[in-house]
Amino acid sequence: FGAFTEHVLLRLLAAAHACAPSREVAASAEEALELLLSISDPHRCIAVLVPVLVNEPPPTLQLAIRLQSKLVGRFSQLQLLSILPQLLPPLFEAFKNAHADVRKAVVFCLVDMYLVLGEQLTPHLATLSTAQLKLVTIYINKTTKARADRLHAPHI
C-alpha cells in the first residue's frame, strides 16, 4: 500500500471535493484521509499536499490545509524547520484567500507549527501583515493557555 500513498491521497482529496454536497460521503473521505495520513510517511504526504495548496480552490484547499495541520505534529523540530521554506509560501498565499474558512485553517496550521517549533517559528512569520500576525498570536496564546490549564487541572 505504501507505494500508492500519493495516488490514494490525491484520489481521496478529489472524492472529498466531488462529494462535498453529500456531507456523509465527504466526511467519510476525510476520515479515510486522516487514517491514511496517520499511517503514512509524513514527508510523502506533505510532498503531495503542498502542490494542492498551490493549485486547488476551496473547499479542497481548506481540507489540504487541515490535513497539513495534522501532519505538522509528526515532525521533529529539526525536520519541520527544514521544510518550512516549502510549507510557508503556499500557506501565506492561502491566508489572503477570500474564504474565511481557508484563512481560519491557515491560522490553525500556523498554531500547530508553533506548538512544535515555539519561538523558532516567529522569524518566519515576518512577511505576514500586522493584522494576520496579531490573529495568529491570539490563537497561539489561547492554545498554549488551554494546554497549560489542562496540564495543571486536577485529575478526577
Side-chain angles (χ1 to χ4, degrees):
F1 183 76
F4 302 103
T5 300
E6 291 87 349
H7 184 71
V8 173
L9 181 56
L10 288 171
R11 292 290 181 182
L12 285 170
L13 276 168
H17 173 72
C19 300
S22 168
R23 285 222 182 271
E24 188 176 316
V25 176
S28 294
E30 283 190 44
E31 191 176 315
L33 278 162
E34 289 177 17
L35 178 61
L36 176 64
L37 264 58
S38 72
I39 61 170
S40 300
D41 174 25
H43 291 281
R44 289 177 71 184
C45 294
I46 285 289
V48 173
L49 289 174
V50 168
V52 172
L53 266 66
V54 172
N55 297 314
E56 292 295 326
T60 305
L61 172 60
Q62 178 187 350
L63 175 57
I65 295 168
R66 287 198 324 263
L67 293 171
Q68 186 171 297
S69 283
K70 293 184 182 305
L71 285 171
V72 164
R74 296 189 47 208
F75 291 100
S76 70
Q77 284 187 345
L78 192 57
Q79 290 171 325
L80 187 54
L81 278 171
S82 72
I83 61 172
L84 279 182
Q86 298 161 290
L87 301 181
L88 291 178
L91 275 179
F92 291 166
E93 194 58 38
F95 214 163
K96 301 172 192 169
N97 194 283
H99 291 81
D101 288 338
V102 170
R103 296 190 307 270
K104 184 177 175 183
V106 171
V107 170
F108 289 135
C109 188
L110 291 171
V111 169
D112 288 335
M113 288 179 177
Y114 182 87
L115 294 175
V116 174
L117 297 173
E119 289 300 321
Q120 296 177 80
L121 180 64
T122 305
H124 298 278
L125 302 179
T127 59
L128 294 178
S129 72
T130 305
Q132 290 171 328
L133 190 55
K134 185 175 182 177
L135 184 62
V136 171
T137 304
I138 288 169
Y139 276 89
I140 286 171
N141 292 337
K142 284 173 99 171
T143 304
T144 53
K145 183 183 180 332
R147 281 183 155 206
D149 290 349
R150 276 196 308 259
L151 286 174
H152 295 100
H155 298 317
I156 301 174

